Each structure stands twice: as C-alpha cells, then as structure tokens.
Amino acid sequence: MSIRKTGLVVGKFWPPHRGHQLLLEAAAAQVEELLVLVYAEPDSRDMPAGLRAQWLRELYRGVEVKDGPQVDQTPLRIFALSAEADGVPPDSADDFTHREFVRQWLQARQLRVDVVFSSEAYGEGFARHLGATHQAVDYERQQLPVSGTAVRANPAAYARYLHPLVAAQLGVVPPALVPRVVLLGAESSGKSTLCAALAEAYGSVWVPEYGRTLHEQKHAALDYEDLLYIARRHAELEDQAAAQAKQFLFCDTNAATTALYSYYYFHRCDPALQAMAAVCRQRYAHTFVCAPTVPFEQDGWRGPEALRSFQHGMVLMQLAHFGIPYTLLEGSVQQRVEQVRLVVDRK
C-alpha cells in the first residue's frame, strides 16, 4: 500500500462511535498525516465540537515512556471548528457552500490535502473540489451499521458501537461478552494474586492493573493526563481479554479507583474520567474489596504500609458514593477464592 502525504476526514462526530473509529484508523494507516475537522451548525450544547474533538484526541493520544515506544502512534491532527470562530456554515447549506468553506479554511492555514476519506456519498465530489482523490471506507455500513443520529436517539441501544470512554460520557456501558468481576483494594492487599488465582480456578483470564504497568514504565513519574489515559487503556485491555474469557473476566482495579488516585495525587479529576468512574456499577457484574490484612510487601513502587488503612477507607467511601454494592474478602488466598465463588456462582 502506497503512503500518501496528507489525508482529510470531516464530520460531526456527534458523538464519536466505532464507525468513526473505523474511518479514522483506515485513513491514518494510508497517510503520513491525517487532518480531522469536527463541527456542526447548529452545534450540540451538551457535547460541543470542542468536547467531541477532545474525546477523539484522548482516544488516539499516546504516552511517552523511557523504556519503550510511544503507544497509539496515530498521525491525527484534530481541529474543532465553530460558527463563531471559523464561520462554519449551517448543516442545511448546499454542498458547494460546505465544500468551499473547507477549501478556504485549509487554504488560510496553508494546508494541502492529497486524499479525502469518507463513508458518505458526498465524498467523491468533496474531494474533487479540494483537488484531492477520494477513498471510501465502509460506504455501505456493512462492517459497522451505526450513525451519530442513531446513537443520539438511543445511546443504550447502540452502546456496543461506542468506545467505553465515549459510552461513559453518555451514561451507558457497552454490553459485555462475559460478566466482569472487579477486585479493588489498597496497595498490597492481594488483588493481583487473587485475580490470578480466580482466573486459574475458572479456566479464564484476568486483566492486570494498567496503572501499575504505566507507573513502572514511567518510573513513578505519572502526569495528570496519564490518569484518564490509564482508565481508557485499562478498559480497552478488558475488552480485548473478554474474547478469551470463560464464565467470568477478572479485573484488577477499575476506573473508579483510577479517579481516586487522580484526586489523591493531583487534587483534581478529568470530567471524562469521572464519567468512566460513574458507570462502574453497570460495567461490572460483581465488585469485591480485598481487606488489607495480608502481609505488606514493599516492592519499591508502593507507598508506605501506613497508607494501606487510609486507602482502604477511601475505596469504601467511593463505593458508597457511587452506590456500588460489594463483598469484603478476608483470609488466605484460597479462602478468598471460596468467598468469591459463593457470590458469583449463585444462580
């Protein structure tokens, strides 16, 4: 496949869905740089173009680590346009008006486009007006039969076509292939050990805490923006693991705990991360909290043992805040496995 220099995708992305992601990822794979223009007129009050563009940037942003390559190296340049700042024409305007608006917007910024990507009938004429070629992606919507209009009308019905980050902003959760069991708790409370034991007991798989992984990769130097990234990547890793899970998928930590650490370390939390935390009750079939009664193991990445009691209390407080029922686990690993079995095997 030959790589062309600059591509263009234009859309409302109201809200971004898997069909949009298919379009963007197919386009990004064929160009050195992909320009993405996000706008609508009239625009949404609840999720304006600036916010929709922010969600897209988060879906495709990477993170620099010292001991490995940047993750998600997708060459996207995402712009949010508005009627006030950019003179966006109304959605009801004719094709020529829309095409000429984009042409002039690009020209004013000395941006040249080589190929336009779209999943719509307007794509061919639009590309021709810009002096570019056109590449259609899933024009018949056979791969992903979804549209922004359908999602806006009934977000719950189309949740399966939404990335977990976007779905959470709409207060819905994509359906799970298997029930998800999440284990929470303070540092060194046995979550990882118990997740592994449960996965073995059920012949299934488990998802390690991605925040711990990135914490180590960045040598304990996490930035504020990393916390939302952690929640997003952890949700993606859960979705990937679900395809191999049997009976249950066991998860070490969730977005609610990630939000808790955002407040703990930075005294603030991104609204998108808050939304992901708020849907944890729907995302997980069962929630368990590991009591901090096992021997503390300092592995060089954890805080002092004295913090365990405080962290445990914060986890319980947050569960109460979100109204998430939970079961407290005590005793040895095997005893905790049996306690989990008593809950999840209940018909």
Side-chain angles (χ1 to χ4, degrees):
M1 178 185 299
S2 60
I3 299 295
R4 286 164 283 192
K5 188 174 181 180
T6 302
L8 174 69
V9 172
V10 173
K12 295 180 181 178
F13 300 94
W14 183 1
H17 53 65
R18 294 290 191 185
H20 291 134
Q21 290 189 256
L22 174 65
L23 172 62
L24 293 174
E25 290 161 19
Q30 300 180 56
V31 295
E32 295 176 357
E33 178 181 59
L34 181 64
L35 307 179
V36 182
L37 306 189
V38 181
Y39 65 87
E41 178 55 36
D43 205 358
S44 168
R45 290 185 178 183
D46 298 329
M47 56 178 98
L51 183 59
R52 303 194 303 272
Q54 182 178 327
W55 294 346
L56 286 174
R57 293 188 192 102
E58 183 57 40
L59 288 181
Y60 292 104
R61 86 171 182 89
V63 60
E64 295 286 351
V65 297
K66 294 183 179 180
D67 301 325
Q70 177 170 312
V71 184
D72 298 334
Q73 297 185 75
T74 309
L76 270 64
R77 291 180 64 191
I78 301 170
F79 301 88
L81 281 55
S82 69
E84 295 76 15
D86 304 281
V88 169
D91 294 347
S92 59
D94 58 63
D95 286 348
F96 176 83
T97 299
H98 280 283
R99 294 168 181 175
E100 185 62 13
F101 163 71
V102 173
R103 188 191 70 78
Q104 292 184 21
W105 189 92
L106 292 169
Q107 184 180 57
R109 290 153 184 80
Q110 299 183 330
L111 296 172
R112 175 177 172 77
V113 172
D114 300 292
V115 54
V116 172
F117 297 87
S118 79
S119 300
E120 305 284 352
Y122 70 76
E124 190 71 42
F126 179 41
R128 192 181 310 115
H129 191 89
L130 299 181
T133 60
H134 177 251
Q135 178 68 54
V137 178
D138 195 24
Y139 176 74
E140 300 294 334
R141 305 293 174 93
Q142 293 182 343
Q143 290 180 255
L144 291 166
V146 62
S147 69
T149 301
V151 175
R152 291 196 299 274
N154 193 342
Y158 287 89
R160 64 188 181 279
Y161 295 113
L162 300 175
H163 186 284
L165 183 147
V166 176
Q169 314 313 305
L170 305 181
V172 298
V173 175
L177 294 176
V178 295
R180 302 183 190 211
V181 176
V182 63
L183 274 63
L184 308 177
E187 292 180 337
S188 191
S189 59
K191 300 189 307 298
S192 299
T193 301
L194 184 55
C195 269
L198 286 165
E200 181 178 1
Y202 282 90
S204 188
V205 295
W206 68 287
V207 182
E209 179 183 0
Y210 181 71
R212 168 62 183 259
T213 301
L214 188 62
H215 182 72
E216 293 182 9
Q217 289 178 334
K218 295 193 71 173
H219 302 282
L222 292 178
D223 299 315
Y224 169 68
E225 292 77 13
D226 290 332
L227 276 295
L228 176 56
Y229 177 79
I230 286 168
R232 189 258 289 180
R233 282 296 298 146
H234 189 88
E236 291 170 348
L237 292 170
E238 285 185 4
D239 288 348
Q240 293 169 17
Q244 287 78 48
K246 293 179 173 60
Q247 297 189 69
F248 301 101
L249 174 65
F250 298 97
C251 308
D252 180 350
T253 307
N254 62 11
T257 296
T258 304
L260 193 65
Y261 277 105
S262 183
Y263 283 113
Y264 179 74
Y265 286 114
F266 302 102
H267 307 156
R268 55 190 173 130
C269 183
D270 191 292
L273 177 51
Q274 292 177 12
M276 293 187 74
V279 297
C280 283
R281 178 171 182 168
Q282 300 103 290
R283 185 172 175 84
Y284 301 95
H286 303 282
T287 299
F288 294 92
V289 178
C290 294
T293 52
V294 297
F296 181 81
E297 294 183 11
Q298 179 53 267
D299 57 7
W301 299 105
R302 294 173 174 145
E305 183 177 2
L307 281 176
R308 278 207 305 178
S309 179
F310 172 76
Q311 292 169 343
H312 180 68
M314 292 299 291
V315 169
L316 298 184
M317 184 184 75
Q318 191 182 50
L319 290 172
H321 171 73
F322 287 121
I324 300 175
Y326 65 91
T327 301
L328 185 66
L329 303 176
E330 303 266 12
S332 67
V333 172
Q334 189 53 44
Q335 287 172 327
R336 294 183 181 199
V337 168
E338 293 306 316
Q339 291 166 34
V340 171
R341 279 188 175 278
L342 287 173
V343 175
V344 303
D345 292 345
R346 189 181 301 153
K347 302 298 183 182

